[in-house]
Amino acid sequence: MQVLSVTPEIFPLIKTGGLADVTGALPPALAGLGVEMRSLVPGYPAVMAALKKKKAVHQYTALQGGKATVHAAQVAGLDLLVLDAPHLFDRPGGPYGDATGADWQDNWKRFAALGRVGADISTGVVAGYKPDVVHAHDWQSAMTLAYMRYGEAANVPSVMTVHNLAFQGQFGANVFSGLGLPPQAMALDGVEYYGGVGFLKAGLQAAWAITTVSPTYAQEIRSPAFGMGLDGLINLRSADLLGIVNGIDDDIWNPETDPHLAATYSAKSLKGRKANKRAIEERMQLDREEGPIYCVVSRLTWQKGIDILAAIVDAVVASGARLAILGSGDAGLEGALLAAAARHRGRVGVVIGYDEALSHLLQGGADGILIPSRFEPCGLTQLYGLRYGCVPLVARTGGLADTVIDANEAAVAAGVATGFQFAPENAGAFHHAILRANALHADPSTWAAIQKQGMKADVSWDRSARKYAALYGKLLSKRDA
């Protein structure tokens, strides 16, 4: 079975968050199931620089204002189709905006172009390749499905995966004339969205099947509280909605072989974690002691509940715990955490930015990882935490609720606890969860049992990949019926 994945990010080439980890790990996970996945990605500078060998397989004389070429390439075991459109993607900054964080004003053009090319590939314009199924990820790829619906590939099965419904790709009605869609597409059952154009909405409307990245989030987005204005459409499509928990690449995230750790270890022996804890204390300038270190590896935003954390930093320090925080995001939240680090030298360490190596070290040496998200479609950091024996403390929402077993008295007694959940998402409940964790951390044998139980959890892509493969097969059967 041939599946085309259309994605704005893919690890290890371009990454701003968990989406890239998913789209980079899913193709090899599917390979053993008889599914060959090729990934269409934009030719950002970092992507083009990684192409040691490439072959031009399709060309455009005019694609949203300029010439473009689709290259076939193999990188890091991934089978890629790269959209080389310098006028759209060859620019400094991040994939969606400049160095200041401001979005590119022509993002609608950039990702409409990606969608147009994805739809063209689905019709067989690349010689010798015609996918059986097309799988689009998030709003940046969603227009692929709209172009398929209104073009020559309406009979090609398609999947739209929502990694975070909060990001929708909404633009003014004035962009419609530049999309190259027929007039009837600018309608309620097409791409029109609250008087403008909605890229994600268009994909949800056109997809044969819709997936989210956890079963709980699939149900949450059917409600006004989590539906972000799309709950009506999602409820109409509920028969085609499926929640599949993400996995992680357990070769890259493996505490027995991880080169970023000061010492490797396994569930059989956690001794190596002590050396990693010492390395965290040195890197984050934390006092050296045996009390718990809780880490945070996150975008520093309201969605991630970082304001809730900032509100209880003083109380966490007073409880005897230390904090090691890595991330970037809202300037106000960055400032609040840096101020907390200044107030509590040796107790709170903060690194603003993205550091892949440090994120691995934090998972390998911190006692727990704090994830107080207000909503979390799936979450990957808690899966890394489980894999590394870094006990997750999570809000009871989305994929966090699906993947962490709360260490209540019954679960601890039964030996099945893997972390701590709290609800509602507020400072009081979060603080209480940390106090519960502190109490169990004071009992080394109980804490080690929770760590080891988490490390037994199957957080790989194996089970989830089987569900995707089954979905693709179901859609093909539907097409052929």
Side-chain angles (χ1 to χ4, degrees), residues 309-331:
L309 171 64
I312 65 167
V313 167
D314 296 345
V316 172
V317 171
S319 77
R322 291 162 293 162
L323 294 172
I325 300 169
L326 169 65
S328 62
D330 296 345

Side-chain angles (χ1 to χ4, degrees), residues 64 87-88 91 94-98 100-112 139 170-172 174-175 199:
Q64 289 295 350
H87 62 294
L88 299 174
R91 57 185 71 174
Y96 316 121
D98 61 25
T100 69
D103 286 349
W104 301 114
Q105 293 302 302
D106 62 346
N107 272 346
W108 71 271
K109 283 187 179 181
R110 301 170 76 224
F111 296 106
W139 74 264
Q170 297 181 43
F171 303 98
N174 59 301
V175 310
F199 278 30

Side-chain angles (χ1 to χ4, degrees), residues 203-280:
L204 294 172
Q205 193 82 57
W208 287 37
I210 299 167
T211 70
T212 67
V213 288
S214 73
T216 293
Y217 191 60
Q219 293 306 308
E220 287 176 339
I221 62 174
R222 297 180 62 184
S223 70
F226 291 90
M228 305 292 175
L230 286 166
D231 48 289
L233 171 57
I234 291 166
N235 277 299
L236 285 174
R237 300 294 318 271
S238 61
D240 304 310
L241 175 65
L242 178 65
I244 302 176
V245 173
N246 284 335
I248 63 173
D249 188 325
D250 55 3
D251 289 327
I252 293 173
W253 290 92
N254 184 351
E256 297 185 51
T257 60
D258 194 329
H260 302 304
L261 301 183
T264 55
Y265 60 94
S266 70
K268 293 180 180 179
S269 176
L270 299 173
K271 290 181 181 178
R273 298 194 96 257
K274 182 167 286 189
N276 296 323
K277 190 170 184 176
R278 298 286 89 90
I280 291 172

Side-chain angles (χ1 to χ4, degrees), residues 300-347:
L300 306 180
T301 64
W302 178 90
Q303 181 221 318
K304 297 294 185 179
I306 302 303
D307 58 314
I308 302 173
L309 171 64
I312 65 167
V313 167
D314 296 345
V316 172
V317 171
S319 77
R322 291 162 293 162
L323 294 172
I325 300 169
L326 169 65
S328 62
D330 296 345
L333 293 176
E334 290 180 0
L337 295 175
L338 289 169
R343 286 197 310 275
H344 300 290
R345 295 190 186 279
R347 312 301 299 173

Side-chain angles (χ1 to χ4, degrees), residues 371-398:
I371 312 173
S373 302
R374 284 186 168 85
F375 62 95
E376 193 62 69
C378 178
L380 293 177
T381 51
Q382 86 278 12
L383 302 182
Y384 303 145
L386 292 170
R387 176 84 162 129
Y388 278 58
C390 184
V391 177
L393 285 75
V394 305
R396 190 178 299 134
T397 186

